[in-house]
Amino acid sequence: MSTHIEFTIIVTDIAQREMLIALLSAAGASGFEEEKDRLKAFVPEADYPGELFDKIIKDKALNYSKSLIKEKNWNAEWEADFKPVVVGSFCAIRAAFHTANSTVAHDIVVTPKMSFGTGHHATTFMMVQAMEQIEFQRKSVFDFGTGTGVLAILAEKLGASAITAIDNDDWSITNATENFNSNNCDKILLDKNQGIATYGSFDIILANINRHVILASLPLIKQHLAVHGVVLFSGLLIGDAEVVIAAAKEQQLNLERQWETGGWICLQMANSK
């Protein structure tokens, strides 16, 4: 059975915690668990980048410990602690063992595993909020870094005609497949891939990833976004806004809306040409 390395970091400052999540995500962390006074980060043992993880934490002068855990222990922890996420009357994200939510327009079931995207983190929550403002009917959608697949599932529920969802992580591909089946999705093409280069044109692109990947991918995102198409970016800290907005403008992607929660941002941009 595969093992993961669990880092337990003592951190009480919310802004510092969010910065750690961003940095460790970029370094290869595949999951996080937030507690009152600590953050747990998980990375597959086979992909552990060695001293890089330790250096990121030590540079913040934080106390931490690390240990090996088995895959099944992670899943049991998630299932014990996983609480439904409700975004107004628009959407609920819950596990199969929760009661269906009849008060929202879209009730989504996800299996709580290590893949990113259950709605608990501010970036996923804001992406869902932003999606409520966009017309998905009969649109083609690209979900860049699908994680649990929750955004692709919501896109189908909102009437998208075809969705391509990609991720480069085996955990995510397995988890997203399960979640697509649980939600009876039949319009999603799931592919293990690192980028958008090999695909066609899309009306809507969802990119809840991180600053580094977004900046590196902007030219291809522009190339694969239909005229007057919309792209949602998150996985970004407030401090990332200026550089990402400027870089996007160079690609003729113009800012339409911006959301901020807990030090994180979500940007809605449109293809001007």
Side-chain angles (χ1 to χ4, degrees), residues 114-129:
M114 191 171 281
S115 303
F116 183 78
T118 59
H120 291 84
H121 194 268
T123 58
T124 308
F125 192 92
M126 286 187 292
M127 289 288 284
V128 173
Q129 283 183 313

Side-chain angles (χ1 to χ4, degrees), residues 53-222:
F53 252 60
D54 299 75
K55 184 177 185 303
I56 289 171
I57 303 169
K58 287 177 180 176
D59 284 349
K60 304 295 181 185
L62 297 171
N63 293 323
Y64 73 101
S65 62
K66 58 184 177 181
S67 59
L68 288 177
I69 60 168
K70 293 184 177 180
E71 175 180 330
K72 65 178 182 181
N73 292 341
W74 166 267
N75 294 339
E77 254 184 67
W78 265 102
E79 291 190 7
D81 297 334
F82 186 78
K83 303 293 189 298
V85 174
V86 180
V87 182
S89 61
F90 175 57
C91 179
I93 303 167
R94 62 180 178 85
F97 48 81
H98 295 131
T99 302
N101 191 329
S102 61
T103 68
V104 296
H106 306 288
D107 187 42
I108 296 175
V109 177
V110 297
T111 302
K113 288 190 176 180
M114 191 171 281
S115 303
F116 183 78
T118 59
H120 291 84
H121 194 268
T123 58
T124 308
F125 192 92
M126 286 187 292
M127 289 288 284
V128 173
Q129 283 183 313
M131 288 173 71
E132 185 177 10
Q133 310 299 319
I134 297 172
E135 177 58 62
F136 278 81
Q137 284 287 338
R138 296 179 295 279
K139 298 295 179 65
S140 58
V141 178
F142 186 80
D143 185 10
F144 196 158
T146 195
T148 62
V150 66
L151 300 182
I153 293 167
L154 181 56
E156 178 164 332
K157 288 180 178 289
L158 289 170
S161 57
I163 304 111
T164 299
I166 71 163
D167 209 292
N168 64 355
D169 177 65
D170 288 329
W171 271 87
S172 294
I173 295 299
T174 299
N175 194 196
T177 299
E178 295 172 352
N179 294 330
F180 295 158
N181 292 334
S182 296
N183 290 274
N184 301 311
C185 295
D186 60 7
K187 294 181 174 62
I188 303 173
L189 170 65
L190 179 62
D191 195 10
K192 184 179 179 183
N193 208 323
Q194 294 190 6
I196 194 172
T198 58
Y199 303 96
S201 177
F202 299 91
D203 299 309
I204 300 169
I205 295 177
L206 309 171
N208 186 17
I209 33 184
N210 61 59
R211 167 178 164 161
H212 173 73
V213 177
I214 288 172
L215 291 174
S217 304
L218 273 172
L220 282 172
I221 287 174
K222 161 67 178 183

Side-chain angles (χ1 to χ4, degrees), residues 5-10 38-39 41 57 63-67:
I5 300 176
E6 174 187 287
F7 284 78
T8 301
I9 309 157
I10 306 302
R38 67 194 62 206
L39 172 71
I57 303 169
N63 293 323
Y64 73 101
S65 62
K66 58 184 177 181
S67 59

Side-chain angles (χ1 to χ4, degrees), residues 220-241:
L220 282 172
I221 287 174
K222 161 67 178 183
Q223 180 182 329
H224 290 268
L225 186 63
V227 176
H228 306 306
V230 173
V231 57
L232 291 178
F233 292 117
S234 197
L236 300 167
L237 293 162
I238 289 177
D240 297 327

